[in-house]
């Protein structure tokens, strides 16, 4: 009887369209992805392995069963290429084999075809007038930046699909960070005025404080982000279209940069990585126009955090260090401590344990100098719950569970005092992971349930989903235990099902 050759395995379009597969790929949860390939594509572990250079059947089995994880960008890219998974689904740049798309670095002022042109409707997709690609450009013209931010905000408020489907683009980061550092340091060397606190902008800054509290204390969420976008486009940006004395104009650029940054960070926390990146790049340009280098470095910290959490720690490290260089000559302990913490996060993901420990020491030393009374409103969240929690993440990643537990415990307690459910739940997952690293299953289960309890009532965060996905993978090998199975079922129906109840 003749046999039929199955040929090289690639993930089917049907499977790529499934919500559970998309969620797994976004979180880079390859254990779940491999299991879905087996279930819906009938792909054996051997066929999956044979499609990916450097991946063998034994490791595929371990990953699918939760006993191993994929952490290197090189292997993630080889999986994308071998299995033909579009780059955007894994937070990668478009792969060479994907249909070519315009890059954000080659924006040209070309007029669209006339409406009555025979090719107009056939060749042009129905999208917003300013594409999301424009949001990835660090424009020399601040007027174009204002136009881009306004379009991003309006599209965000109206829930435009083209915006919500946009993906993170790694290659879009190098140019903006380089241009910001060069222009901001040149301005500092020339003695340009840094900032001005005018009464005219205090109401906007007060509103920023309200929005930031919605994010930090109440957990933000989709509705809160759209409120920020609406306020930005309807109340802040129109003021910048008017004529003002230069000090007032710079102050307005500053508050616009703050609001745009917050919209971007809230988008990131909702898992909308493409629009988050657009907002953050435009915020960086507005910060430059304001002359506030401290704020620009803070925006780079956000871009660094995003890059590292999406699996690009090398880029996250570069962005954090660029931000530190941007603070040259400034006394900015909170911003600097944040950048050291994010540098440590990138180093820990890269497996550089010694460098991570040294950078954590620098972060703590710098954080000791922070006096919140002297810090801007946007720096108020760079506090004990945040700093201790992020240090705990780095210690977890370099395999120091005892110290990770200690710092995470400090973060959880400080977050409890402030009623910060999202931060508390994130740090509590680190405690649970520390128990799994020490093979203390009973304590890990108790700590995991507590993490879910803390998150109850807080809008679901992409960071929380990622943390719980990682925790689930670590607990999967213990599914023979009834209590573990009960916990995994709870994680599946709450944290990984779009609710944090």
């Amino acid at each position: 009887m003749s046999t039929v050759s199955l040929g090289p395995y690639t993930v089917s379009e049907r499977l790529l369209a499934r919500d559970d597969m998309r969620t797994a790929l976004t979180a880079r949860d390859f254990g779940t992805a491999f299991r879905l390939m087996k279930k819906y594509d009938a792909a054996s572990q051997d066929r999956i392995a044979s499609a990916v250079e450097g991946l063998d059947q034994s490791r595929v089995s371990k990953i699918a069963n939760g006993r191993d994880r994929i952490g290197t960008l090189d292997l993630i890219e080889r999986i994308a290429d071998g299995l033909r998974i579009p780059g955007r689904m894994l937070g990668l740049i478009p792969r060479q084999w994907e249909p070519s798309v315009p890059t954000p670095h080659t924006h040209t002022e070309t007029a669209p075809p006339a409406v009555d042109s025979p090719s107009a409707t056939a060749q042009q997709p129905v999208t917003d007038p300013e594409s999301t690609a424009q949001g990835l450009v660090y424009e020399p013209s601040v007027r174009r930046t204002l136009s881009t931010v306004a379009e991003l905000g309006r599209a965000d408020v109206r829930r435009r699909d083209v915006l919500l489907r946009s993906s993170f683009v790694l290659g879009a980061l190098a140019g903006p960070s380089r241009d910001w550092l060069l222009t901001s340091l040149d301005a500092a060397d020339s003695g340009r005025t840094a900032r001005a606190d005018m009464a005219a902008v205090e109401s906007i800054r007060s509103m920023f404080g309200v929005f930031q509290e919605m994010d930090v204390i109440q957990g933000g969420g989709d509705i809160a982000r759209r409120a920020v976008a609406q306020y930005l486009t309807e109340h802040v940006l129109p003021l910048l279209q008017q004529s003002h004395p230069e000090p007032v104009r710079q102050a307005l650029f500053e508050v616009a940069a703050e609001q745009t940054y917050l919209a971007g960070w809230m988008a990131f926390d909702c898992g909308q990585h493409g629009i988050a990146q657009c907002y953050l790049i435009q915020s960086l340009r507005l910060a430059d126009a304001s002359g506030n280098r401290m704020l620009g470095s803070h925006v780079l910290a956000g871009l660094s955090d995003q890059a590292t959490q999406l699996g690009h720690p090398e880029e996250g490290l570069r962005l954090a260090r660029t931000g530190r260089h941007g603070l040259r000559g400034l006394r900015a302990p909170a911003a600097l401590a944040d950048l050291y913490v994010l540098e440590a996060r990138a180093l820990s993901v890269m497996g550089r344990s010694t460098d991570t420990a040294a950078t954590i020491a620098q972060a703590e030393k710098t954080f000791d100098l922070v006096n919140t009374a002297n810090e801007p409103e946007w720096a108020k969240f760079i506090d004990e719950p945040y700093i201790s929690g992020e240090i705990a993440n780095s210690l977890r990643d370099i395999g120091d569970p005892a110290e990770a537990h200690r710092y995470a415990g400090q973060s959880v307690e400080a977050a409890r005092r402030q009623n910060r459910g999202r931060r508390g739940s994130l740090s509590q997952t680190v405690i649970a992971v520390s128990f799994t690293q020490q093979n203390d299953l009973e304590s890990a289960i108790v700590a995991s349930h507590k993490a879910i309890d803390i998150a109850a009532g807080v809008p679901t965060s992409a960071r929380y989903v990622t943390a719980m996905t990682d925790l689930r993978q670590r607990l999967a090998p213990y599914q023979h235990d009834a209590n573990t199975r009960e916990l995994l079922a709870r994680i599946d129906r709450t944290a990984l099902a779009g609710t944090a109840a």
Side-chain angles (χ1 to χ4, degrees):
M1 187 172 79
S2 63
T3 60
V4 178
S5 174
L6 295 175
Y9 170 63
T10 58
V11 184
S12 68
E13 292 294 331
R14 179 186 71 257
L15 178 53
L16 289 175
R18 289 183 57 87
D19 288 342
D20 49 4
M21 185 63 165
R22 288 177 174 273
T23 300
L25 294 175
T26 298
R28 293 182 173 177
D29 177 4
F30 290 102
T32 298
F34 288 166
R35 292 193 296 273
L36 291 173
M37 292 175 201
K38 179 180 180 181
K39 181 176 181 179
Y40 293 104
D41 281 354
S44 66
Q45 294 172 354
D46 184 60
R47 288 195 73 206
I48 295 171
S50 64
V52 181
E53 180 185 355
L55 191 64
D56 58 33
Q57 185 273 335
S58 174
R59 190 170 184 196
V60 170
S61 175
K62 291 178 181 178
I63 293 167
N65 291 306
R67 298 195 305 272
D68 194 2
R69 294 184 300 155
I70 294 172
T72 65
L73 180 60
D74 177 64
L75 182 51
I76 292 172
E77 290 178 332
R78 279 186 273 128
I79 288 173
D81 294 336
L83 298 175
R84 286 299 191 265
I85 300 172
R88 61 182 171 75
M89 301 186 77
L90 289 167
L92 304 172
I93 61 174
R95 315 311 300 157
Q96 290 185 346
W97 48 267
E98 293 186 62
S100 59
V101 295
T103 69
H105 302 292
T106 56
H107 178 75
T108 56
E109 299 285 346
T110 55
V115 175
D116 57 354
S117 166
S119 61
T121 55
Q123 295 181 2
Q124 284 199 280
V126 180
T127 63
D128 295 292
E130 297 285 341
S131 69
T132 53
Q134 172 123 1
L136 300 174
V137 177
Y138 187 92
E139 293 281 1
S141 165
V142 74
R143 184 177 294 277
R144 291 188 63 83
T145 299
L146 293 173
S147 174
T148 298
V149 174
E151 188 57 44
L152 282 171
R154 285 193 293 269
D156 197 7
V157 170
R158 296 169 187 167
R159 292 175 166 268
R160 295 290 178 86
D161 287 345
V162 66
L163 195 66
L164 298 178
R165 291 197 306 267
S166 60
S167 302
F168 176 83
V169 180
L170 180 63
L173 294 173
S177 60
R178 177 201 62 219
D179 293 345
W180 171 82
L181 182 62
L182 292 175
T183 56
S184 61
L185 290 182
D186 284 348
D189 292 340
S190 69
R192 192 173 81 184
T193 302
R195 59 171 296 186
D197 292 323
M198 271 71 65
V201 299
E202 282 309 307
S203 62
I204 298 175
R205 184 158 284 122
S206 296
M207 198 65 196
F208 171 83
V210 172
F211 286 137
Q212 180 161 258
E213 183 167 340
M214 289 171 63
D215 178 51
V216 174
I217 305 299
Q218 300 173 28
D222 209 39
I223 295 175
R225 184 184 88 246
R226 290 199 169 86
V228 173
Q230 185 169 7
Y231 183 80
L232 176 66
T233 55
E234 294 183 4
H235 298 281
V236 181
L237 297 182
L239 293 175
L240 281 165
Q241 306 295 339
Q242 303 169 13
S243 177
H244 300 284
E246 187 59 22
V248 176
R249 185 170 173 78
Q250 284 189 325
L252 286 171
F253 274 123
E254 185 177 290
V255 293
E258 292 171 357
Q259 299 272 354
T260 305
Y261 172 88
L262 185 57
W265 186 248
M266 294 171 89
F268 173 71
D269 236 1
C270 290
Q272 301 292 344
H273 301 303
I275 183 176
Q277 185 182 28
C278 291
Y279 274 129
L280 292 176
I281 289 175
Q282 300 312 305
S283 174
L284 187 63
R285 180 63 183 90
L286 294 172
D288 179 36
S290 77
N292 188 335
R293 283 195 287 129
M294 191 192 307
L295 179 56
S297 288
H298 174 58
V299 178
L300 283 178
L303 285 165
S304 169
D305 201 354
Q306 183 186 34
T308 297
Q309 292 198 43
L310 291 180
H312 309 289
E314 296 86 356
E315 187 65 24
L317 179 63
R318 188 184 67 80
L319 289 163
R321 287 178 172 172
T322 301
R324 284 204 293 109
H325 286 302
L327 291 174
R328 188 189 72 191
L330 297 179
R331 180 173 176 79
L336 185 57
D338 187 23
L339 287 160
Y340 273 127
V341 160
L342 295 171
E343 187 172 333
R345 291 290 296 116
L347 289 166
S348 69
V349 174
M350 295 164 68
R352 295 167 56 176
S353 301
T354 302
D355 291 337
T356 299
T359 307
I360 287 174
Q362 286 287 348
E364 292 189 287
K365 181 179 177 180
T366 306
F367 183 64
D368 287 341
L369 302 175
V370 174
N371 179 349
T372 54
N374 298 329
E375 295 291 344
E377 183 69 32
W378 52 258
K380 297 295 171 59
F381 84 93
I382 305 173
D383 57 6
E384 183 183 1
Y386 169 76
I387 293 291
S388 297
E390 291 305 305
I391 288 176
N393 283 328
S394 295
L395 292 167
R396 172 204 61 201
D397 289 343
I398 62 174
D400 190 346
E403 282 297 281
H405 187 162
R406 183 169 73 86
Y407 279 92
Q410 294 173 2
S411 175
V412 170
E413 177 56 26
R416 184 194 63 77
R417 292 195 299 267
Q418 297 181 15
N419 196 29
R420 285 168 62 177
R422 181 178 62 193
R423 171 51 60 182
S425 63
L426 288 171
S427 295
Q428 183 64 31
T429 62
V430 179
I431 293 177
V433 167
S434 74
F435 283 126
T436 69
Q437 291 176 317
Q438 298 173 86
N439 297 313
D440 185 348
L441 179 61
E442 182 177 351
S443 297
I445 291 173
V446 172
S448 299
H449 279 296
K450 185 176 180 181
I452 299 174
D453 291 341
I454 293 173
V458 179
T460 301
S461 157
R463 287 180 291 160
Y464 174 72
V465 171
T466 298
M468 293 304 293
T469 299
D470 173 65
L471 178 58
R472 193 193 192 290
Q473 288 179 310
R474 294 173 188 266
L475 290 167
Y478 304 99
Q479 293 186 71
H480 60 275
D481 175 76
N483 291 328
T484 303
R485 290 196 301 274
E486 179 185 350
L487 170 60
L488 294 178
R490 188 182 182 201
I491 291 174
D492 288 343
R493 71 174 179 266
T494 58
L496 304 186
T499 62

